[in-house]
Structure formats: structure tokens, C-alpha cells
Amino acid sequence: MSSISQQIANELAVSSQQVQAAIALLDDGATVPFIARYRKEATGGLDDTQLRNLAQRLTYLRELNDRREVILASIRDQEKLTPELEQQIRSTESKTELEDLYLPYKPKRRTKGQIAIEAGLEPLASSLLDNPEQDPEQVAADYINADAGFADSKAVLEGARFILMERFAEDAALLKKVRDYLWNNAEITSVVAPGKEQEGSKYRDYFAFNEAIKKIPSHRALALFRGRNEGMLQLKLNADPQQEDPKARSYGEQIVADHIQFSPASRAADAWLAQTIQWTWRIKLLLHMETELFGTVRERAEADAIKIFANNLKDLLMAAPAGAKTTMGLDPGVRTGIKVAVVDSTGKVLGTNTVFPFQPQNQVDKAMRTIAGMCKQHKVELIAIGNGTHSRETDKLITDLLKADQELKASKVIVSEAGASVYSASELAAQEFPDLDVSLRGAVSIARRLQDPLAELVKIEPKSIGVGQYQHDVSQAQLAHSLDAVVEDCVNAVGVDVNTASVALLARVAGLNKTLAQNMVAHRDANGRFAERKNLLKVSRMGPKSFEQAAGFLRIMDGDQPLDRSAVHPEAYPLVERMASDHGKQVEQLIGDSTFLKNLDAQAYTDANFGLPTVRDIIRELDKPGRDPRPEFKTASFKEGVDTLQDLRPGMTLEGVVSNVAAFGAFVDVGVHQDGLVHVSALSDSFVSDPREIVKAGDIVKVKVLEVDVQRKRISLSMRMHDEVTSGTGTEPKNATGKAASKPKSQTTGKRPAAKKPAPVGNSAMGSAFADAFAKAKK
């Protein structure tokens, strides 16, 4: 454990003691949000991001150790474990290198090399390798064994070759050399699959493509793999991009030759050994490494895609809430009409209806009267309009209504309805609204997500919210794990009102689960609202451990204990009471008294249980109890008359909402039912390595239309207002000087760029001799 904690400490650039303390807390069942907020003294203030990374590495290294012990036991049982090998196995910190070391000892099906060894050909293989002066045909004659399937010298030499090929291909040191060379030099290439030019047209950027495997960004890698999986693209690893002639000898063969110290000198066995090296490279190493490195690229791309999704989800969940206001939700539709639902300030449904202002009914006046009546009846303050089909038409309808009826004081906002249909048909929605039609549940969800995006979006499976990049191409288990962690962190950062929260929201609180959340709601329904946090211990299956983890994140507004509406943990209540007592005050008098709290000596209240960081946190929380970390609520104003793609014109300046952020740029909703793309190069005048440095999901931004491709439903936007618009398709944004804006290096020309030739291993004379030996082998 000490070695694991030290390794993690080095990676996170923190002390080993911090890591050991965090590991002990995690192993004891503590949650990341609880540790990050309430155990700062123990961990030295590790935040939730550091703790998540720590937990991930801890799992990896523990799995590595478990696998290491299994491998050592297997080799030991074979009586092949030497002290040197054991030291190598124990010192490796990579699962890949560990498996390389195990490869020669790993039980496997009988290979051609093993069959040759069983026939007694291993001495021949070793002899030819050690002494190439021998004539292969002559020495092979002594090993003919017809009964074992080696009836002539040719078969014997082939068997010997397979022995050496397998020996080389299972050499961990050689595998590392080859892997390092390929990772630093090789390219991934793609071509269109024969006959798929039309069917696979969406992949046409990759019909003749090449890029360094080490540098390819996640979105392009995932696009390539998706194209291959759909049968539209053929992928290959080009090990020697520096060579113009694809038939030329690979540099990989030179690496093998150097590793086994093979230096051709016109000896009798040189041609045979040269061909053995060639076969080892082409049949064993290259194919194996292509699979492995493609797997590595995919894993890295998936990790990047999952990280992007997680960051976007966090931005969306932490979006500003409109607040506890009576809200009308409108779920637009054409033939099926606009679904209408009104909820009160707590999210309780007050009324529902469906109106049909569009084709084929065209009941515009009736629809406006119905909506106006519901607004007046329930004193609606906000109108949330889903951004799906016919949202702009619905928005115009409400605009006309608000202009025509001055008694209506509501404000309208277009809201993302991503995932609303998933929620409407879910078991959770059925339990929440058993008597409400599925279509109307979506309108309720739209209204509620304007009031509090976090409280409503937690009811939807995170990956259905639609802010990901190639989300269906990544590991669904890893994606779910990462997104669940984001939801947990967001929910606990904001806090949850225990007397109004849904089961879905409560289940995301640190220390709770679905069963406990259901029990809390059932207890609330049976006994009325919770008056104090300590009453939560009366909930069925709520033990001291669960209470400890969850209590600080659960809020009780207007309860018997004033501290219950804050993030102060119950374990710290005696400390706050001592602060109040020392200054002749009641606890409730401390809350919000900024002047007093500012002058309070935090150091005076530290002890063995509460260090200075926690005391300062408590004082800050007393100043602004239950403070919401989310930003102030703002809305975007879509331009009137711009409702469809056909309404867009290059040069237009529009206001929009960032709907999604990817590695290559940001998607912006400008109100035309099709998000536009601001390429990373058009986000700022300065270089941008990560689009999230500039924008986040939910941000309101000003953009300029550069190009509209109606046929492909693509909109090119820029956040640089000085970018000039050029005509035609495939145009690039231009800056004020008239020069093309900065953009990534070309990846789709189909032309292989000149690459620096790797430094040769050994001298040129040896390389020339090897080439001669190879030529003889081919003859």
C-alpha cells in the first residue's frame, strides 16, 4: 500500500500522507464529496477532482497488483520463475508491460513453434541464430522427423523459423522497442471501402486520410473507428510514413535485427535469418502492434470523449436556475399540438392542456385563449418553450400573445428539451405522474428544468441528455461511471432540500442510494416534513454512517435548528454553539452577521477535530448559509424572423446559447433547429487548446454566420466579429487582414507529408548488408 500511495502522490504532486489518508477514508466507505468538504484536515485539502483521480488510479494500481500476483503464481507453478524475472515483474508499473513479460509463459493453444519444439527442433533454431556460418539445408537434414510431421529439410527449417519468430515476438524488451518506435513515428491511415463511396459519403473526409497515431485527436480517431465498424472505411497502421515506396523494407525489421544483434556478413544462414526477421515483423509484430496501438488510440480517444461529455454535463447541471416561480411548460408539436403544463413554485402540477395552433387544425385563436387563461388562472411568471420541432413558431405565438394581452406579465424562455422524451416514458415519470399522459409529462419536465435544471435533469439518464461527443462509441460502463460522478458532485455542491426533493435527486446525495431516498420520501409522506436533520435517523435503514455522509448536503429550510439550512455538518454544531456562547449570542444571531464573522478569530476555535480549513469553511457558511454556487439566471434573445436554416445569411450577427462543447469547437443554438459550429480556430483571436477555456455549455454568446450549407444542414459560425465571409462552400474564416484564420494542420489531403527519417540503429554498412541479405532471402 505504501508504494501505491507514494506513486499516486507523485502523480498528483501531493504528499504521501495526504494520499494515505484519502485511501483510508475511501476504504472506510466515505464518499468523495464528503471527504472533499468535511475531511480537509485529513487529506490536506484535496479537492473532488483530485480525489476522483486518486480513486481511479487506486483502482488501476490495485488491479495491476492483483494481476501481478496471479502471473507470478502461474510462472512459479511452471517452475520457471527466476529471481531476475520476478524482479522485472514486480518493478513494472504498466499492465501492458506486465502482459509482455508474461507472454512467453502464458498458457496458449499449440502453435507451429511449440509443435516444432516438441519435435526437437529448438536446438537447430538456436544454433542457426548463434552461428550463421552453418549451411541451413545441411544442418537441417539431421533433424528430419517424418513421424512428427517434419519429413524434409524444408519443413524442418520452417519449423525452426517459427520457433525463432515466436521467441522474438514474445521478447518483452523487443516489444517495448517496437512499441515505442511505432507510437512516435507510425501513422493511422484510412481509405474508403470498395463500393462504399456513396453510402459512406459522410466519411468522405477520411476516404484518403493519414495522421500521426500519437497526435490524432479524439474526435477524428472515434470517427475513423466508427467508419470502420460501419464498413465504410478501411484502416491500417503505416509503420514507415517516411518511406515513399510502400514495398520498401520496414524500419521495424531493422529494430528486430539490432535487438538480436544480427549483422549480415554474407554467411550461409544470413538469408534464412533475414527472412525469419521479415516474417517476424510482418506476421507477428506488426499485426500485433496494429491491434494494440489502435486499442490504445481508441482508449485515449474514449477517455477524452468521456471527459468532454462530463465537463459539458457539469456545465449544464450547474446552469443558473430561474428559481421558485410559477412556470408554464410548452412542448411544441405540429400534428400532435403544443402540450401545455403549469407547475407551481415547488414544481407541483397545477394544470395541463393541449392546443392545436398549427397545421392541420390551425386553431390559433383558441390556442392563444387557452394559454392566456391558464396564465391568468395560475399567475404564471415564466413560460418555458421546448427547443424541438416548431419551437420558433411556438415562440412567435407566445410573443404575439404577450403583445396582445397586456395583463400577462410572464417572461418567455426557450429551453433545451434534450432527454425530456426519455424521462416522459421512464418508470420514474410513470411513478411520479401515473394519471398523466406521456406527452404531457414532457411539458412538465420542460417547465421544471427552467425552474431548476439540476433537480430535473437528475431524473434523466446522463448519457440521454445529449451533450456528448461520439457518446455511443465509447465504453458505456466507463461513461456511466464518469457521468454519475459528475452528477453526484454537482448535486452535493448545490445541496438538496430534504422536504421537497424527488427520489431521483435524493438518491444522488453522498451516502444515499435509491432505497434510502425512497424511504425518506415515504417517511416524509407519512409523517410530514422533516423538522430537523437528526430526524433523518428515524428513516428506515438510515444508519449512522449514511447519516454522516449525507447530512451536510441535506437542507431543512425553516426548521427547528437554524444550522440545518446550511452546509455546516451536524458534527460541527457544538463548535458553532461555542462560538455563539463565547460572545453572548444565540446561534441564529451568528447567521448572516458578516461584520461579526469577519472579525471572528478562526484560529481560536481549532482543536483536535476541527482544523483551520474547516473552521474557516464554517465561518464562511454562517455568513451566507446554503449559498447556491450556480450563476445568475440569464436568457438569450433569438433574432426575430430567423427561424429556419433558409433564414440565415452569411454575415448575420446573432445571439445564441452554447449547447455542446467538443474538442474541435463549440455548437451554438441560434434558434433554427440546427446547431451551428464555431470551430476552435474561430473562438478567439489567440490560440485555443481547449474550447472550454473560452465557452461552456449554457453560455450565451454572440456569433457571426460565416457559411450555411442547407443541403448538409451545416452552419459555420465565428465568435470573432472581424472574420470576413467568403462565398462558396468549404470556405475558411478570414481575419481583418484578409488572411485565412488559423486552423488545424491539414489531415484530409490524402497526401502523406514528409516525415523525418528516424535515426538508424547501428551503422549504414550494416543496414546495407541487411538489405542485401533480405534481397537474397526473397530470391
Side-chain angles (χ1 to χ4, degrees), residues 422-613:
V422 175
Y423 163 74
S424 301
S426 69
E427 181 182 352
L428 181 62
Q431 292 173 351
E432 196 171 5
F433 305 112
D435 301 322
L436 202 61
D437 185 81
V438 172
S439 61
L440 292 171
R441 295 173 188 165
V444 174
S445 181
I446 289 169
R448 286 177 167 180
R449 66 174 62 188
L450 177 60
Q451 291 178 322
D452 189 337
L454 178 61
E456 192 61 23
L457 290 173
V458 294
K459 300 175 182 178
I460 302 169
E461 187 180 18
K463 62 184 179 182
S464 298
I465 296 176
V467 289
Q469 170 187 309
Y470 292 97
Q471 65 195 62
H472 300 295
D473 296 304
V474 304
S475 165
Q476 296 303 293
Q478 292 180 22
L479 177 63
H481 178 78
S482 177
L483 299 186
D484 285 345
V486 169
V487 176
E488 182 183 38
D489 287 343
C490 291
V491 168
N492 290 287
V494 173
V496 174
D497 186 339
V498 72
N499 285 312
T500 61
S502 65
V503 170
L505 188 57
L506 287 169
R508 297 290 189 170
V509 173
L512 303 184
N513 53 35
K514 185 177 180 181
T515 299
L516 265 176
Q518 290 173 334
N519 291 348
M520 290 171 68
V521 172
H523 187 281
R524 189 175 71 195
D525 292 342
N527 303 285
R529 68 191 307 276
F530 292 97
E532 292 185 78
R533 275 173 171 163
K534 63 183 181 182
N535 292 341
L536 292 168
L537 288 166
K538 298 178 182 179
V539 173
S540 174
R541 302 184 72 173
M542 176 71 80
K545 188 69 177 180
S546 297
F547 179 80
E548 176 193 56
Q549 297 294 307
F553 305 106
L554 297 171
R555 310 278 187 267
I556 296 180
M557 314 308 291
D558 303 319
D560 297 341
Q561 166 57 266
L563 293 175
D564 284 351
R565 63 187 175 96
S566 74
V568 177
H569 197 281
E571 66 187 9
Y573 286 3
L575 178 64
V576 178
E577 290 164 359
R578 181 155 65 90
M579 290 177 180
S581 176
D582 287 351
H583 295 84
K585 294 176 177 286
Q586 298 295 317
V587 168
E588 52 265 33
Q589 292 177 303
L590 296 184
I591 298 176
D593 189 343
S594 299
T595 302
F596 170 77
L597 293 169
K598 183 179 180 180
N599 295 307
L600 193 61
D601 182 9
Q603 187 66 53
Y605 292 95
T606 60
D607 55 27
N609 296 318
F610 302 102
L612 195 57

Side-chain angles (χ1 to χ4, degrees), residues 636-638 654-658 668-671 698-703:
S637 299
F638 293 143
L654 305 170
E655 191 169 82
V657 181
V658 177
V668 178
D669 178 6
V670 291
D699 282 357
I700 298 169
V701 296
K702 187 177 180 181
V703 295

Side-chain angles (χ1 to χ4, degrees), residues 8-9 11-12 19 22-23 26 32 46-61 307 481-482 485 489:
I8 295 175
E11 293 173 0
L12 297 181
V19 174
I23 291 174
L26 290 168
V32 166
L46 295 179
D47 61 30
D48 51 1
T49 301
Q50 289 173 307
L51 288 166
R52 294 284 181 198
N53 291 335
L54 185 154
Q56 184 177 12
R57 285 297 290 159
L58 179 63
T59 299
Y60 177 91
L61 293 174
K307 182 179 179 181
H481 178 78
S482 177
D489 287 343

Side-chain angles (χ1 to χ4, degrees), residues 314-479:
K314 181 179 180 179
D315 294 337
L316 194 61
L317 293 176
M318 296 299 284
K325 299 178 181 179
T326 303
T327 304
M328 172 180 283
L330 301 179
D331 186 0
V334 184
R335 182 182 56 80
T336 57
I338 301 173
K339 278 66 69 178
V340 187
V342 178
V343 300
D344 67 11
S345 59
T346 67
K348 179 182 177 181
V349 178
L350 300 176
T352 61
N353 212 321
T354 303
V355 296
F356 301 89
F358 309 124
Q359 294 284 356
Q361 289 91 337
N362 291 321
Q363 299 172 359
V364 178
D365 292 340
K366 182 179 179 180
M368 294 178 71
R369 287 196 304 272
T370 300
I371 293 173
M374 294 179 73
C375 286
K376 293 174 182 177
Q377 178 186 354
H378 301 295
K379 297 182 174 57
V380 170
E381 300 169 82
L382 292 170
I383 299 176
I385 304 169
N387 68 342
T389 305
H390 254 54
S391 66
R392 291 308 303 274
E393 292 80 357
T394 303
D395 179 63
K396 185 177 185 305
L397 179 78
I398 299 303
T399 298
D400 294 342
L401 174 61
L402 295 176
K403 286 180 180 177
D405 194 331
Q406 298 298 315
E407 292 183 38
L408 300 179
K409 304 299 181 183
S411 300
K412 62 180 177 67
V413 182
I414 292 183
V415 176
S416 169
E417 60 180 45
S421 59
V422 175
Y423 163 74
S424 301
S426 69
E427 181 182 352
L428 181 62
Q431 292 173 351
E432 196 171 5
F433 305 112
D435 301 322
L436 202 61
D437 185 81
V438 172
S439 61
L440 292 171
R441 295 173 188 165
V444 174
S445 181
I446 289 169
R448 286 177 167 180
R449 66 174 62 188
L450 177 60
Q451 291 178 322
D452 189 337
L454 178 61
E456 192 61 23
L457 290 173
V458 294
K459 300 175 182 178
I460 302 169
E461 187 180 18
K463 62 184 179 182
S464 298
I465 296 176
V467 289
Q469 170 187 309
Y470 292 97
Q471 65 195 62
H472 300 295
D473 296 304
V474 304
S475 165
Q476 296 303 293
Q478 292 180 22
L479 177 63

